[in-house]
Amino acid sequence: MGEPEKHRILMVSDFFYPNFGGVENHIYYLSQCLIKEGHKVVVMTHAYQNRSGVRYMTNGLKVYYVPWKPFLMQNTLPTFFGTLSITRTILIREKISLVHGHQAFSTLCHEALMHARTMGYKVVFTDHSLYGFSDVGSIHMNKVLQFTLADVTQAICVSHTSKENTVLRSGLPPEKVYVIPNAVDTAMFTPAPERLSRDEIVIVVISRLVYRKGADLLVEVIPEVCRLHPNVRFIVGGDGPKRVRLEEMREKHSLQDRVDMLGAVPHAKVRSVLITGHIFLNSSLTEAFCIAILEAASCGLLTVSTRVGGVPEVLPDDMVVLAAPDPTTMVHAITRAIYMLSQIDPQDMHNRMKKLYSWPDVARRTEIVYNRALKCSNPPLLDRLSRYLTCGTWAGKIFCIVMIVNFLLWRLLQLWKPDKDIEVVPDIQLPKSQHEETPFGSRKEEGL
């Protein structure tokens, strides 16, 4: 039996370091594991402030910070065809065999997948979020997703709830969508060396303080919990537009000595905050898969969370207390968690998380999707256009026009600058000792 085929993968998203979040961590850790399996991985994202051009990260992970500035919420301005030339150049220079886009909200991801399919590349898309069906923003995003996924080779979702949501929004056949959950770097998130005293119960919240993350729910839950349990103290890490409401709540109820507001917490310091607490509180109103819960459980914290989206799929029942996103039920859930603390062994919880979630396992499962994608046929343009026509009476025709124009522009680029005139870059071969000794959780980078 021959050695498994090695792939050359281009990861594309508007969301990558130095920005921090679930998507950014997912792309980084998945890329590192794929590199360790012998694959070539390149990341394409937009420029961040003065960070533009090519950078190298741990284990030779190459990142193209293309000179597109973010327009809204770290997304680039939609141009449809503006990124065609630079995407084509990267694909040829790096001899890419497959393109993997991340996040439905990423403009760069949608455009790169469209260009890659125009040029005949196989593409995989990973959806990291849940979206509704009734508000204007969701309706618009769902139509864009329908356009992108009409010709996608394979798709990945991070939970079964996310898969159901994506299939309903995009009309993608369920058999083309795979469920591969996120993971956690358990070597980075370890419990405190000594068990904490339960004389004072510390509840930790680390989240963006926005409506979607349930910041308004925290405003109602925290004062009631403090009233019922005099020995409880809260640590709130994170920033956002709803931070003002939490500050006002603290002033109104005179909880300055029982609610610590830390502001934004760098990811490297998240563990040091988590290990000061007994309970982790997640109040999200929608969540496809909550990596923060995994990090907290890996540090040995009992989790209290809203029962929304894919959250019920994340942890076993004895490691999490779930409640409806309602202040009264959340207070009851926290009270129940406080009485459960005597049964919690942080080190045992950490050891279980090692077996449940690991990035190497995520990478192996993603490899299977890549292998299946590369075996799929590559239909001609006319056959692909029929898929776009199913996207709606008017939208389908508009999508077809966009793809035809994109195809013509690609042909013009080939005439203006043939593929053979684009220089192919040599691969960097790292010393084996350096490849093996680099800490998995570290992120070193240098400019080129």
Side-chain angles (χ1 to χ4, degrees):
M1 192 172 181
E3 187 178 339
E5 182 184 357
K6 300 304 178 184
H7 307 305
R8 304 178 70 88
I9 306 140
L10 178 66
M11 301 279 185
V12 187
S13 181
D14 279 303
F15 308 102
F16 195 65
Y17 299 133
N19 196 48
F20 281 96
V23 179
E24 292 85 347
N25 285 343
H26 182 102
I27 295 173
Y28 174 80
Y29 285 120
L30 175 60
S31 298
Q32 290 296 325
C33 289
L34 289 171
I35 289 172
K36 289 182 180 180
E37 292 293 322
H39 303 288
K40 170 70 180 287
V41 183
V42 178
V43 177
M44 176 181 169
T45 188
H46 64 70
Y48 281 87
Q49 296 177 358
N50 62 345
R51 188 182 301 231
S52 183
V54 180
R55 302 286 181 104
Y56 281 91
M57 301 181 78
T58 306
N59 292 332
L61 174 61
K62 191 174 187 178
V63 184
Y64 283 87
Y65 289 94
V66 299
W68 252 252
K69 294 295 183 180
F71 167 67
L72 178 67
M73 295 174 66
Q74 292 302 332
N75 274 282
T76 49
L77 181 69
T79 62
F80 285 101
F81 315 113
T83 53
L84 174 59
S85 177
I86 195 166
T87 302
R88 170 178 175 257
T89 301
I90 293 172
L91 291 172
I92 296 171
R93 277 173 58 85
E94 302 292 344
K95 296 187 290 185
I96 297 298
S97 58
L98 181 140
V99 179
H100 189 170
H102 293 263
Q103 187 64 315
F105 197 61
S106 171
T107 304
L108 191 63
C109 164
H110 289 293
E111 292 187 1
L113 295 186
M114 178 180 74
H115 302 324
R117 288 302 295 134
T118 297
M119 290 182 272
Y121 289 88
K122 302 298 194 308
V123 300
V124 174
F125 172 77
T126 295
D127 200 355
H128 295 264
S129 300
L130 298 178
Y131 288 88
F133 298 89
S134 56
D135 60 285
V136 175
S138 294
I139 292 171
H140 167 72
M141 183 53 62
N142 293 344
K143 187 56 70 175
V144 172
L145 187 69
Q146 195 176 12
F147 166 54
T148 301
L149 298 192
D151 197 26
V152 77
T153 315
Q154 305 286 349
I156 298 171
C157 291
V158 294
S159 66
H160 290 88
T161 302
S162 176
K163 174 180 177 177
E164 182 180 355
N165 182 262
T166 299
V167 168
L168 289 173
R169 288 158 52 213
S170 66
L172 198 64
E175 60 270 16
K176 293 180 70 173
V177 185
Y178 300 85
V179 176
I180 303 177
N182 283 307
V184 61
D185 182 4
T186 52
M188 186 176 180
F189 292 92
T190 55
E194 298 181 4
R195 296 192 65 165
L196 301 176
S197 168
R198 291 198 299 273
D199 294 338
E200 180 185 56
I201 306 299
V202 179
I203 300 176
V204 179
V205 179
I206 300 181
S207 170
R208 294 195 305 277
L209 301 181
V210 295
Y211 171 78
R212 190 175 72 86
K213 292 294 184 178
D216 296 301
L217 195 58
L218 290 176
V219 171
E220 299 186 52
V221 168
I222 291 175
E224 185 63 16
V225 172
C226 289
R227 185 184 67 82
L228 293 173
H229 304 281
N231 64 329
V232 168
R233 183 167 63 88
F234 282 85
I235 297 177
V236 180
D239 208 348
K242 295 290 184 179
R243 179 175 178 175
V244 176
R245 285 210 64 197
L246 285 165
E247 298 276 10
E248 291 173 347
M249 173 273 295
R250 190 170 66 160
E251 295 287 337
K252 178 181 177 181
H253 297 277
S254 301
L255 296 175
Q256 291 88 343
D257 59 334
R258 299 183 62 187
V259 180
D260 295 335
M261 303 290 293
L262 303 182
V265 179
H267 192 255
K269 297 183 178 179
V270 168
R271 177 197 173 260
S272 62
V273 176
L274 288 173
I275 61 174
T276 62
H278 302 81
I279 295 171
F280 179 77
L281 177 59
N282 171 54
S283 59
S284 293
L285 302 181
T286 175
E287 200 79 69
F289 188 102
C290 188
I291 294 181
I293 290 177
L294 297 186
E295 295 172 347
S298 183
C299 289
L301 277 71
L302 178 61
T303 297
V304 176
S305 175
T306 46
R307 189 190 298 272
V308 295
V311 171
E313 304 175 31
V314 177
L315 292 175
D317 292 341
D318 61 328
M319 296 171 70
V320 62
V321 180
L322 298 172
D326 169 76
T328 304
T329 52
M330 286 294 289
V331 171
H332 290 325
I334 292 171
T335 300
R336 182 183 163 200
I338 290 172
Y339 291 118
M340 287 174 60
L341 285 176
S342 59
Q343 307 166 25
I344 300 299
D345 182 351
Q347 190 59 50
D348 176 64
M349 191 177 287
H350 175 76
N351 294 336
R352 290 173 66 187
M353 290 302 296
K354 278 185 178 179
K355 298 176 182 178
L356 287 172
Y357 294 101
S358 73
W359 284 111
D361 179 59
V362 171
R364 284 191 291 270
R365 294 166 71 174
T366 305
E367 279 185 79
I368 295 171
V369 178
Y370 290 164
N371 293 333
R372 292 180 180 177
L374 290 168
K375 290 177 182 176
C376 293
S377 60
N378 213 3
L381 176 63
L382 289 177
D383 291 346
R384 290 169 46 228
L385 290 179
S386 62
R387 301 176 184 175
Y388 292 104
L389 287 172
T390 63
C391 293
T393 306
W394 291 104
K397 295 180 177 63
I398 294 171
F399 294 161
C400 284
I401 293 171
V402 170
M403 292 306 298
I404 291 170
V405 172
N406 200 54
F407 181 83
L408 294 174
L409 289 173
W410 171 53
R411 288 301 191 188
L412 285 173
L413 281 173
Q414 286 185 311
L415 292 173
W416 177 62
K417 191 170 185 179
D419 293 0
K420 62 182 178 61
D421 291 344
I422 298 176
E423 182 183 6
V424 175
V425 297
D427 295 333
I428 292 180
Q429 298 295 330
L430 292 176
K432 189 174 181 182
S433 59
Q434 179 182 348
H435 189 277
E436 291 177 349
E437 292 172 9
T438 303
F440 186 69
S442 69
R443 286 183 283 273
K444 63 180 181 180
E445 86 179 28
E446 60 182 78
L448 245 190

